[in-house]
Amino acid sequence: MANLSAVLGVGGGIAAYKSAELARALMQRGFAVTTVMTEAAQEFVRPLTFAALTGRKVITRMFAGDGPDDVLASSVEHIGVAKENGILVVAPATADLLARFAHGLANDFLTTLYLAFEGPVLLAPAMNTAMWNHAATQANVEILRRRGHHILEPDSGPLACGTTGPGRMPDPERIADYALSILTRRRDLDGETVLVTAGPTREPLDPVRFISNRSSGKMGYAMAEAAALRGARVQLVSGPVHLAAPEGVEVIPVQTAEQMRRAVLDRLDESTIIVKAAAVADYHVTSVPKQKVKKTALRLSLELDPTVDILAEIGQRKKNQLLIGFAAETENVVAEARRKLQAKNCDMVVANNVSLDGTGFESDDNEVILALSTGELITPPRDTKRALADRILDEALKLRLALHQRS
Ligand code: PMT
């Protein structure tokens, strides 16, 4: 049984307020959480917030008390905290903390604890885009990655400093799911090659305009991250999204349905499991003008042709691969899932009702029904996309075993 106890290291960045949510998300997953705050972190959030949430004292400095006993007790406390806890999660990991970790400085409790800590380390950097892109930060990240630490790259989006770009701390639920996966890690996908598609496609209307859809890529990226953490080699064919590449995953960026099709077919034979979470456009413009279409007062009509159904094509060509399709539905979810399962020769279809609030497109959570080729229907409870990704993989592996035993 994994030791579900975490040290939550909080660095001094504006994202420190999100770490309070992270403390709660870790506890919801069964972790006992000990918080360590840097001096700068305490400028953003008060230790009391974490003490109240975790029910434990928060460590704020190296030498806690004034008396000789206090000094003695606290000077070895980092060793005790390092030994007692299963994982060190640092969020936000500021540029300063990354630099101090990379170079082995031990000038406060958190950096000293880091050196004494022998378990897995999960770092969630968050900072201004220019600071993240700086050669010094990237070099430090590389050192930490080579040291075997898990780095959840920052998301892109509007930042507190007013700029837009990579630098946002990932969602606390995702960090907590990731920490849980590290500690309860199964290597049941060792030796597998998993091909995942994610995000939308963009079908051009002219050189400056396109048709697309609301897919953020979160579901597909969660599948890729979960598979990689379970030992698979993962290739992720991704439409245009604002998500960082999951750790250890090869990302193949594409724009159109046809580019996605080519990227997938090129990799089909080497794959053992294929997960089609992308929201591929069903139509493209028959003939794309070379120049920008001028605005006039007249009504404009578009002539569209269907795109090739990539999933159906894989279904035709597959040999021994396990094929998992997705279905985005607004009605008759089960019937549609079963129809697509059969029509596209899938082994499993993951159907989501995209008309429900807080699930489907763009959200961090999802609610899915798994329709299996054995006729079975599985309805996991609503959960984070990351947690559901692990459940989908669990069910896929069980299904493959059942199919092998039947044949
Ligand atoms: O990206 P997120 O914001 O996290 O949202 C997740 C999601 C809702 C996009 C995802 O969970 C999902 O449902 N993905 C499939 C969306 C979709 O295109 O559904 P569909 O029912 O139209 O297509 C069925 C299947 O055929 C899908 O596996 C799709 O990838 C595939 N397809 C569709 C058309 C096409 N031309 N080629 C395909 O391969």
Side-chain angles (χ1 to χ4, degrees):
M1 184 66 190
N3 170 10
L4 280 192
S5 55
V7 181
L8 172 59
V10 185
I14 184 67
Y17 79 94
K18 289 195 199 167
S19 303
E21 282 174 42
L22 174 56
R24 204 163 47 183
L26 285 166
M27 292 182 68
Q28 280 166 348
R29 284 156 183 79
F31 280 92
V33 178
T34 302
T35 313
V36 178
M37 300 180 78
T38 64
E39 215 178 310
Q42 296 164 57
E43 298 288 332
F44 291 91
V45 193
R46 285 180 55 77
L48 186 59
T49 306
F50 291 94
L53 284 171
T54 62
R56 289 174 173 229
K57 116 179 161 174
V58 173
I59 301 170
T60 53
R61 51 194 172 135
M62 191 71 203
F63 302 106
D66 296 331
D69 290 347
D70 283 338
V71 173
L72 192 62
S74 60
S75 65
V76 292
E77 196 176 5
H78 59 278
I79 306 288
V81 175
K83 281 212 174 100
E84 281 159 16
N85 284 281
I87 187 166
L88 171 60
V89 181
V90 181
T94 57
D96 171 64
L97 272 176
L98 294 175
R100 289 194 281 151
F101 289 156
H103 298 284
L105 271 67
N107 50 5
D108 66 3
F109 194 95
L110 184 54
T111 48
T112 310
L113 169 77
Y114 166 77
L115 288 182
F117 195 77
E118 291 177 318
V121 175
L122 173 59
L123 303 170
M127 65 199 73
N128 156 275
T129 303
M131 291 171 73
W132 171 248
N133 287 335
H134 196 285
T137 306
Q138 288 303 312
N140 291 332
V141 169
E142 194 45 40
I143 290 173
L144 294 165
R145 190 169 283 156
R146 269 192 272 118
R147 212 171 272 166
H149 299 335
H150 301 270
I151 315 248
L152 271 176
E153 294 217 358
D155 287 339
S156 286
L159 302 174
C161 57
T163 57
T164 297
R168 286 162 71 100
M169 190 170 110
D171 180 62
E173 299 281 335
R174 185 175 157 221
I175 302 174
D177 279 336
Y178 201 96
L180 186 63
S181 299
I182 292 170
L183 283 194
T184 55
R185 184 193 294 234
R186 293 150 285 177
R187 301 292 297 184
D188 51 2
L189 290 177
D190 265 339
E192 305 270 356
T193 299
V194 178
L195 178 60
V196 181
T197 69
T201 63
R202 282 181 182 175
E203 308 305 322
L205 296 174
D206 70 9
V208 299
R209 303 179 178 99
F210 54 82
I211 314 176
S212 192
N213 60 62
R214 285 174 45 211
S215 172
S216 63
K218 286 180 183 172
M219 189 68 236
Y221 275 59
M223 292 295 311
E225 184 175 276
L229 207 58
R230 289 165 74 154
R233 169 184 174 226
V234 181
Q235 298 181 307
L236 174 60
V237 177
S238 173
V241 297
H242 296 286
L243 301 175
E247 197 182 12
V249 168
E250 181 195 350
V251 179
I252 302 106
V254 296
Q255 296 276 328
T256 65
E258 185 50 31
Q259 288 170 3
M260 184 170 278
R261 173 174 172 259
R262 299 235 153 272
V264 167
L265 294 182
D266 284 351
R267 290 164 180 81
L268 192 57
D269 289 345
E270 55 188 306
S271 307
T272 54
I273 300 176
I274 300 149
V275 182
K276 288 281 290 97
V280 186
D282 289 320
Y283 291 92
H284 69 98
V285 172
T286 308
S287 166
V288 180
K290 292 227 170 349
Q291 305 301 330
K292 183 182 169 194
V293 175
K294 299 272 184 294
K295 180 180 159 191
T296 69
L298 299 176
R299 174 175 292 159
L300 191 67
S301 300
L302 285 175
E303 194 178 47
L304 302 173
D305 275 330
T307 54
V308 176
D309 192 313
I310 309 167
L311 182 59
E313 191 170 354
I314 304 171
Q316 295 289 318
R317 292 191 184 199
K318 76 176 170 126
K319 294 176 185 134
N320 294 317
Q321 296 98 328
L322 195 75
L323 182 56
I324 305 173
F326 272 68
E329 305 299 342
T330 53
E331 56 181 352
N332 304 328
V333 178
V334 171
E336 276 304 304
R338 287 196 153 136
R339 188 184 65 74
K340 287 178 183 171
L341 181 80
Q342 224 180 10
K344 304 192 189 201
N345 195 25
C346 295
D347 299 294
M348 177 194 289
V349 163
V350 180
N352 29 204
N353 184 341
V354 290
S355 62
L356 297 177
D357 273 352
T359 69
F361 289 109
E362 297 164 295
S363 58
D364 293 315
D365 294 348
N366 211 355
E367 197 170 312
V368 297
I369 297 173
L370 314 184
L372 311 190
S373 56
T374 51
E376 203 184 337
L377 276 184
I378 299 169
T379 50
R382 179 187 284 221
D383 212 331
T384 60
K385 285 180 176 170
R386 184 59 183 74
L388 284 170
D390 266 320
R391 179 71 193 272
I392 293 165
L393 290 171
D394 290 346
E395 298 300 339
L397 290 181
K398 272 194 246 163
L399 172 66
R400 184 165 65 182
L401 197 63
L403 294 176
H404 278 171
Q405 280 165 354
R406 278 185 184 192
S407 61

